[in-house]
Amino acid sequence: MIDAKRLERRMTELARIGGSGTAVSRLGLSADEQRARDLVGAWLSAKGAQIRRDAAANLFARFAGDGEAVLVGSHLDSVPEGGRFDGALGVLCAVEALESLVDAKVKLRRPVEVVAWADEEGARFGVGLFGSAAAFGRLSPGVANRRDRDGVSIAEALRTLGERGDPAMARRDPTEFAAYLELHIEQGPRLEKAGLPLGVVSDIVGIYHARVAVRGRADHAGATVMTARADALAAASEVVLAVERIARGRPDAVGTVGEIAVRPGAKNVVPGECVFSLDLRAARDHDGLVREVLAFVTSIASSRGVEVSVDELARVPVTSLDPRIRDVLGRATKSVGVNAPEMVSGAGHDAQNPALSGVPTGMIFVRSTGGSHTPREFASVDDAARGAQALANSIRELAS
Ligand code: GLV
Ligand code: MN
Ligand code: MN
């Protein structure tokens, strides 16, 4: 049986690391993320798991058995000023599910590994799903040289955490795994609207992340006539609005420019350079969405006489989760009294990496309110405990 009180205590304890009030800022590959890993490792080590960290700073806690392992977990990092539940709840519920099975002396034939993926959000280095991509050999080449705003590279950040600095060494053989399970807050309002505590994920949207640099010409804001300018920010602004228009015009598509920096950045200087992010997602025709936005970027460069370069950070295709695991999760959610609907995830998840590597993968969503990537995000202990019980029942079925 899931111990809801223990789960709640640990939610509070974990949220203190990098937390203030209901806000959590626990960036990937930071000292705080490491502290969170150490805490989770200590809980699982006390239950008899073998603890290991890999070259990408992922934490694995293995309970021994025979044959391919059942892998279950989520991530421990957050966005800046994020909430207490995104990622963390999935790790906490995986820990609780395993503890409940160990406490009940359930005999599991297969090995079970709890995983806490490093740097899922990519908030610091721009590379999302970092740890799971490393483990499944899906990192883009040269990724370890990417730098944060202070000029620290991923390789250096890993070395600070005691690793060798080469995340590609974290690669594992996907055939080691019989299944991957991840519980996560929904991060949207559908379960709340339906009055249901749990859902089962059918598909995860395709995600494209890039940094676009626009180079115009810095000049005097008073002495340069409007027809003689190459204003990088004005060009970027056209792209920002086009992203909104293009995404609105496509079913199941969303597009966001969430970061923008202007140089030199003074009120009396025509912006000479502008760097901004692109986040483009769709459940259908994701490639078409990306193509349409990039074609617009190219056309703006020529019509405004600016130079544009696009640095692609990630391109993850639309990911369908395994029908057999979805059935297992459907039964498990029924066993805790929930008629869980199947739903598409608009957020990206580490689950995409094992799924795209051929590991049978499934996800449970827990109802959440207050949105996500903000301190308002919330999931109740009751819902979380129900999700953890469904997760435990699924592990039991898959590992027996
Ligand atoms: C991860 O939270 C994402 O950006 O979808
Ligand atoms: Mn997130
Ligand atoms: Mn997440």
Side-chain angles (χ1 to χ4, degrees):
M1 276 290 286
I2 294 300
D3 183 340
K5 281 269 169 289
R6 178 168 62 189
L7 181 59
E8 185 172 27
R9 248 192 341 267
R10 286 182 172 165
M11 276 182 193
T12 308
E13 194 177 352
L14 184 57
R16 274 196 213 111
I17 304 177
S20 155
T22 63
V24 174
S25 294
R26 195 163 55 224
L27 297 196
L29 308 186
S30 67
D32 277 340
E33 190 200 38
Q34 182 93 322
R35 244 172 262 142
R37 263 191 299 274
D38 289 345
L39 179 63
V40 168
W43 291 334
L44 289 164
S45 163
K47 284 287 164 184
Q50 285 280 349
I51 309 298
R52 187 173 74 80
R53 236 178 46 212
D54 71 10
N58 296 312
L59 175 84
F60 293 96
R62 186 175 171 101
F63 294 87
D66 291 327
E68 299 88 32
V70 174
L71 185 62
V72 49
S74 191
H75 61 97
L76 287 172
D77 64 310
S78 78
V79 294
E81 293 171 49
R84 295 162 290 169
F85 301 94
D86 176 358
L89 191 71
V91 176
L92 288 163
C93 287
V95 170
E96 186 54 44
L98 258 297
E99 288 223 35
S100 74
L101 293 169
V102 171
D103 291 349
K105 301 194 166 47
V106 172
K107 191 92 199 86
L108 299 174
R109 181 173 59 85
R110 291 187 185 282
V112 178
E113 290 191 44
V114 174
V115 60
W117 301 115
D119 198 4
E120 187 269 356
E121 301 286 3
R124 181 171 165 203
F125 297 99
V127 184
L129 310 182
F130 169 77
S132 55
F136 289 99
R138 301 183 63 85
L139 282 178
S140 340
V143 85
N145 300 321
R146 290 209 172 268
R147 291 178 188 278
D148 68 7
R149 285 194 186 134
D150 301 324
V152 178
S153 71
I154 287 184
E156 286 157 4
L158 284 169
R159 284 196 284 271
T160 303
L161 298 177
E163 306 302 340
R164 303 258 293 272
D166 179 8
M169 285 167 57
R171 186 169 189 161
R172 291 181 70 173
D173 178 356
T175 63
E176 281 180 51
F177 301 109
Y180 173 72
L181 303 177
E182 179 166 353
L183 174 149
H184 203 283
I185 54 165
E186 184 207 338
Q187 306 178 275
R190 289 166 298 171
L191 289 171
E192 184 193 11
K193 281 203 180 116
L196 290 167
L198 304 174
V200 172
V201 178
S202 58
D203 306 270
I204 306 173
V205 292
I207 303 179
Y208 174 82
H209 280 160
R211 257 188 210 132
V212 182
V214 182
R215 270 173 214 93
R217 197 176 48 254
D219 226 328
H220 195 291
T224 315
V225 295
M226 296 309 285
T227 48
R229 298 178 179 210
D231 183 327
L233 177 58
S237 304
E238 293 215 44
V239 177
V240 173
L241 292 175
V243 164
E244 186 180 53
R245 186 177 64 248
I246 291 167
R248 277 189 178 158
R250 289 173 160 262
D252 304 323
V254 290
T256 307
V257 175
E259 282 180 321
I260 193 157
V262 179
R263 273 173 44 99
K267 65 179 172 305
N268 57 352
V269 183
V270 176
E273 192 182 303
C274 181
V275 179
F276 61 94
S277 60
L278 281 178
D279 179 314
L280 305 172
R281 310 186 187 208
R284 274 183 284 168
D285 192 23
H286 181 246
D287 284 341
L289 168 69
V290 174
R291 260 198 315 275
E292 194 175 342
V293 170
L294 294 184
F296 185 86
V297 169
T298 308
S299 76
I300 278 298
S302 73
S303 67
R304 281 188 165 265
V306 294
E307 259 177 59
V308 177
S309 62
V310 178
D311 180 11
E312 180 172 317
L313 296 165
R315 194 193 280 252
V316 186
V318 178
T319 312
S320 287
L321 301 188
D322 187 81
R324 195 178 64 87
I325 304 290
R326 274 149 65 180
D327 285 348
V328 171
L329 298 177
R331 277 196 296 281
T333 45
K334 260 210 187 69
S335 73
V336 298
V338 183
N339 229 333
E342 289 220 332
M343 50 209 302
V344 174
S345 172
H349 293 290
D350 288 308
Q352 285 173 281
N353 282 313
L356 291 165
S357 306
V359 178
T361 294
M363 287 190 76
I364 296 178
F365 268 174
V366 172
R367 167 168 58 192
S368 59
T369 56
S372 184
H373 287 180
T374 122
R376 296 188 312 277
E377 95 188 354
F378 178 76
S380 74
V381 179
D382 277 0
D383 288 357
R386 205 113 62 127
Q389 187 64 62
L391 195 62
N393 296 356
S394 310
I395 295 167
R396 187 174 189 157
E397 176 169 344
L398 289 164
S400 292

PDB file of all heavy atoms in Angstrom, residues 75 79 86 120-121 187 373, ligand 2:
ATOM      1  N   HIS A  75      12.179  13.406 -13.931  1.00  0.00           N
ATOM      2  CA  HIS A  75      13.351  14.280 -13.737  1.00  0.00           C
ATOM      3  C   HIS A  75      13.249  15.106 -12.454  1.00  0.00           C
ATOM      4  O   HIS A  75      12.154  15.293 -11.911  1.00  0.00           O
ATOM      5  CB  HIS A  75      13.500  15.216 -14.942  1.00  0.00           C
ATOM      6  CG  HIS A  75      12.321  16.132 -15.171  1.00  0.00           C
ATOM      7  ND1 HIS A  75      12.283  17.430 -14.715  1.00  0.00           N
ATOM      8  CD2 HIS A  75      11.131  15.937 -15.809  1.00  0.00           C
ATOM      9  CE1 HIS A  75      11.133  17.990 -15.085  1.00  0.00           C
ATOM     10  NE2 HIS A  75      10.418  17.106 -15.742  1.00  0.00           N
ATOM     11  N   VAL A  79      12.353  24.450 -14.260  1.00  0.00           N
ATOM     12  CA  VAL A  79      12.649  25.717 -14.945  1.00  0.00           C
ATOM     13  C   VAL A  79      12.928  26.763 -13.863  1.00  0.00           C
ATOM     14  O   VAL A  79      12.612  26.535 -12.695  1.00  0.00           O
ATOM     15  CB  VAL A  79      11.457  26.166 -15.839  1.00  0.00           C
ATOM     16  CG1 VAL A  79      11.247  25.190 -16.988  1.00  0.00           C
ATOM     17  CG2 VAL A  79      10.176  26.338 -15.032  1.00  0.00           C
ATOM     18  N   ASP A  86       6.426  19.366 -11.373  1.00  0.00           N
ATOM     19  CA  ASP A  86       6.863  18.981 -12.724  1.00  0.00           C
ATOM     20  C   ASP A  86       8.143  18.157 -12.607  1.00  0.00           C
ATOM     21  O   ASP A  86       9.182  18.682 -12.193  1.00  0.00           O
ATOM     22  CB  ASP A  86       7.088  20.259 -13.550  1.00  0.00           C
ATOM     23  CG  ASP A  86       7.630  19.988 -14.953  1.00  0.00           C
ATOM     24  OD1 ASP A  86       7.882  18.817 -15.300  1.00  0.00           O
ATOM     25  OD2 ASP A  86       7.807  20.972 -15.689  1.00  0.00           O
ATOM     26  N   GLU A 120      16.111  17.734 -17.636  1.00  0.00           N
ATOM     27  CA  GLU A 120      15.037  17.524 -18.621  1.00  0.00           C
ATOM     28  C   GLU A 120      14.622  18.838 -19.269  1.00  0.00           C
ATOM     29  O   GLU A 120      14.262  18.891 -20.438  1.00  0.00           O
ATOM     30  CB  GLU A 120      13.824  16.872 -17.935  1.00  0.00           C
ATOM     31  CG  GLU A 120      12.716  16.453 -18.887  1.00  0.00           C
ATOM     32  CD  GLU A 120      11.650  17.505 -19.117  1.00  0.00           C
ATOM     33  OE1 GLU A 120      11.697  18.589 -18.464  1.00  0.00           O
ATOM     34  OE2 GLU A 120      10.768  17.286 -19.947  1.00  0.00           O
ATOM     35  N   GLU A 121      14.642  19.914 -18.477  1.00  0.00           N
ATOM     36  CA  GLU A 121      14.070  21.174 -18.964  1.00  0.00           C
ATOM     37  C   GLU A 121      14.973  21.896 -19.960  1.00  0.00           C
ATOM     38  O   GLU A 121      14.490  22.673 -20.774  1.00  0.00           O
ATOM     39  CB  GLU A 121      13.779  22.115 -17.786  1.00  0.00           C
ATOM     40  CG  GLU A 121      12.804  21.560 -16.742  1.00  0.00           C
ATOM     41  CD  GLU A 121      11.365  21.553 -17.247  1.00  0.00           C
ATOM     42  OE1 GLU A 121      11.126  21.921 -18.405  1.00  0.00           O
ATOM     43  OE2 GLU A 121      10.479  21.169 -16.461  1.00  0.00           O
ATOM     44  N   GLN A 187      -0.130  19.080 -16.332  1.00  0.00           N
ATOM     45  CA  GLN A 187       0.324  20.428 -16.727  1.00  0.00           C
ATOM     46  C   GLN A 187      -0.701  21.164 -17.575  1.00  0.00           C
ATOM     47  O   GLN A 187      -0.388  22.185 -18.181  1.00  0.00           O
ATOM     48  CB  GLN A 187       1.678  20.374 -17.472  1.00  0.00           C
ATOM     49  CG  GLN A 187       2.763  19.644 -16.711  1.00  0.00           C
ATOM     50  CD  GLN A 187       4.076  19.543 -17.447  1.00  0.00           C
ATOM     51  OE1 GLN A 187       4.265  18.638 -18.238  1.00  0.00           O
ATOM     52  NE2 GLN A 187       5.002  20.435 -17.183  1.00  0.00           N
ATOM     53  N   HIS A 373       5.130  25.074 -14.945  1.00  0.00           N
ATOM     54  CA  HIS A 373       6.292  25.941 -15.125  1.00  0.00           C
ATOM     55  C   HIS A 373       6.054  27.252 -14.385  1.00  0.00           C
ATOM     56  O   HIS A 373       6.532  28.309 -14.792  1.00  0.00           O
ATOM     57  CB  HIS A 373       6.610  26.195 -16.610  1.00  0.00           C
ATOM     58  CG  HIS A 373       7.212  25.002 -17.284  1.00  0.00           C
ATOM     59  ND1 HIS A 373       7.587  24.983 -18.609  1.00  0.00           N
ATOM     60  CD2 HIS A 373       7.532  23.774 -16.806  1.00  0.00           C
ATOM     61  CE1 HIS A 373       8.101  23.800 -18.916  1.00  0.00           C
ATOM     62  NE2 HIS A 373       8.066  23.044 -17.832  1.00  0.00           N
TER      63      HIS A 373
HETATM   64 MN    MN B   2       8.714  21.031 -17.498  1.00  0.00          MN
END
